[in-house]
Amino acid sequence: MLSALRRTSQPAAARGVRAFAAAAKPQKFSIYRYDPEQQAKPFMQEYVIDLKQCGPMILDALIKVKDEVDSTLSFRRSCREGICGSCAMNINGKNGLACLLYIEPSSSPIEIQPLPHSYVVKDLVPDLTNFYNQYKSI
């Protein structure tokens, strides 16, 4: 019994257990910011999130920023299952759903922008009026 206790009290690396990405250092996120009411140019704002205190998805990091760091951040989300597409955005230069994309820890910031070729209502919220008009015409 005592030897079993000694084995499990060792650090994960000593036991040969793989450490999760959440054990990594804090991750920087560079997020597109735009507020039409301020009449200022859009800019990229950097936030630092501790991955140990955050879920594994990009959407989890955005929610953490909004809840704990900057409540003025705006973005769309709904189902968290990749079905509705409301959390679609450009992440590190590729379009994707924030609820399906894992946070890949790196030394450079993860860049999050609204979908390209769409008008921006505020921050990461695209204007979907054109999309809904096209959908209605089908």
Side-chain angles (χ1 to χ4, degrees):
M1 179 74 168
L2 187 57
S3 63
L5 179 61
R6 285 187 189 135
R7 263 188 276 138
T8 58
S9 64
Q10 295 175 350
R15 289 186 310 220
V17 177
R18 189 181 213 188
F20 290 102
K25 63 182 180 178
Q27 177 65 49
K28 289 182 184 177
F29 291 85
S30 181
I31 301 176
Y32 179 93
R33 300 302 308 269
Y34 171 66
D35 187 356
E37 293 177 5
Q38 300 294 328
Q39 296 182 346
K41 290 184 178 182
F43 62 96
M44 299 298 286
Q45 186 168 358
E46 239 177 53
Y47 299 95
V48 178
I49 298 296
D50 183 7
L51 297 181
K52 293 177 186 177
Q53 306 296 321
C54 181
M57 303 302 198
I58 297 287
L59 185 60
D60 296 322
L62 289 171
I63 291 170
K64 185 157 187 71
V65 168
K66 183 166 179 74
D67 289 349
E68 298 178 14
V69 181
D70 186 354
S71 63
T72 65
L73 179 65
S74 297
F75 56 92
R76 281 198 175 107
R77 63 189 173 103
S78 185
C79 72
R80 295 186 58 98
E81 296 177 2
I83 296 169
C84 70
S86 66
C87 64
M89 50 192 72
N90 188 284
I91 301 162
N92 283 336
K94 295 181 182 178
N95 295 340
L97 299 177
C99 65
L100 294 181
L101 293 173
Y102 285 100
I103 299 170
E104 296 179 15
S106 70
S107 57
S108 60
I110 295 173
E111 193 171 292
I112 304 173
Q113 297 186 16
L115 288 174
H117 311 298
S118 63
Y119 295 106
V120 177
V121 176
K122 184 179 179 192
D123 296 337
L124 300 172
V125 180
D127 183 6
L128 297 178
T129 305
N130 189 35
F131 167 78
Y132 288 125
N133 288 338
Q134 290 176 351
Y135 183 73
K136 187 169 59 172
S137 71
I138 296 176

